[in-house]
Every structure is written in C-alpha cells, then in structure tokens.
C-alpha cells in the first residue's frame, strides 16, 4: 500500500511473489478499508510504503505511514511491514505516460511491491527485517 494524505494506492502480487499488479485506491486512506481489501484478497503480508527523503531521513509523512501501518497491524492477523518507497511516484508517473491504465497511486503501490519482492528475492530474506521496517 502506498499511503498518502489523500489516498492509499494498493497493489497485489501473484501467489509466487513474482509479479506485482495495481489494484485500486482507498480514498481517504482508511486502515479498516485496507484491512478489508487484504482479507478479500487473502494476502499473507501487507507492505506499506515508507516515504523517506533521498538522504534517508524521515519526515511527517513517514510518521503518518507508520501510524497507518500500526493501525493495519492491530486489525489484521498477517504481518504488516514498511518498506522504503523512494522514487515509486516517479516510476508510476513514467508508467502512466507509457499507457498504464491504473490510477497513479495504485501504480506507485505496484512499483513499491515490485521493489520489495525484488529485494526479497535478491537477499533470500525479508528486506524489512534488514532495517527498513
């Protein structure tokens, strides 16, 4: 989930954790609606984008994303983690210009999830356990 002040973009991976695809947007970003979507799709893990600056510092938006993650974790029976979402908005804008039909926030969520899945595959472990979450 790509959490933002106005909406949260959502994406899901295939069962093998290989391909990420955009779902929809939750507007306004509501943990209960996010939890319902996760249950509907029978997810095993929820990843919430953590907005950090290029230098790695966290600002007010990161605090809001962490609060959203914590609210989801209280509702869901599956792990909820954060993952660095740097540059996902730019990637989503590029995808939209290339003809992707999903809402930009859902595209950003798909790029976030794709990055998370690639990091997990590269290390053979959970990237959030290595300092991101």
């Amino acid at each position: 989930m790509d959490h933002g002040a106005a909406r949260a973009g959502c994406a899901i991976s295939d069962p093998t954790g290989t391909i990420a695809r955009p779902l929809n947007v939750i507007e306004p970003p509501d943990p209960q609606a996010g939890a319902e979507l996760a249950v509907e799709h029978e997810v095993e893990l929820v990843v919430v984008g953590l907005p950090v600056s290029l230098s790695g510092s966290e600002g007010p938006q990161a605090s809001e994303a962490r609060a959203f993650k914590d609210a989801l974790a209280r509702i869901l029976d599956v792990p909820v983690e954060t993952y660095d979402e740097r540059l996902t908005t730019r990637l989503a804008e590029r995808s939209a210009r290339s003809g992707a039909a999903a809402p930009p926030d859902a595209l950003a969520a798909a790029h976030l999830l794709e990055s998370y899945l690639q990091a997990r595959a590269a290390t053979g472990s959970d990237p959030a356990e290595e300092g991101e979450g």
Side-chain angles (χ1 to χ4, degrees):
M1 294 184 179
D2 181 32
H3 178 269
R7 66 195 64 82
C10 302
I12 192 165
S13 76
D14 65 317
T16 66
T18 306
I19 300 170
R21 69 175 170 85
L23 281 177
N24 57 4
V25 174
I26 299 170
E27 193 170 358
D30 173 46
Q32 184 62 45
E36 289 170 7
L37 188 64
V39 169
E40 174 188 340
H41 288 278
E42 300 176 349
V43 303
E44 297 175 8
L45 168 75
V46 175
V47 178
V48 176
L50 184 63
V52 293
S53 70
L54 291 177
S55 69
S57 64
E58 295 184 15
Q61 287 182 323
S63 295
E64 290 178 23
R66 285 189 188 279
F68 182 77
K69 174 232 170 222
D70 291 343
L72 278 172
R74 284 190 295 274
I75 299 168
L76 291 169
D77 291 329
V78 298
V80 182
E81 303 172 357
T82 58
Y83 187 71
D84 185 347
E85 69 171 35
R86 279 181 269 195
L87 307 178
T88 56
T89 301
R90 288 187 184 150
L91 290 170
E93 290 168 354
R94 192 173 302 147
S95 294
R97 285 193 302 271
S98 297
D105 294 296
L107 288 171
H111 285 294
L112 166 73
L113 183 55
E114 185 176 72
S115 176
Y116 175 88
L117 294 171
Q118 288 173 349
R120 184 172 72 177
T123 62
S125 67
D126 183 346
E129 291 175 359
E130 297 171 8
E132 293 297 334

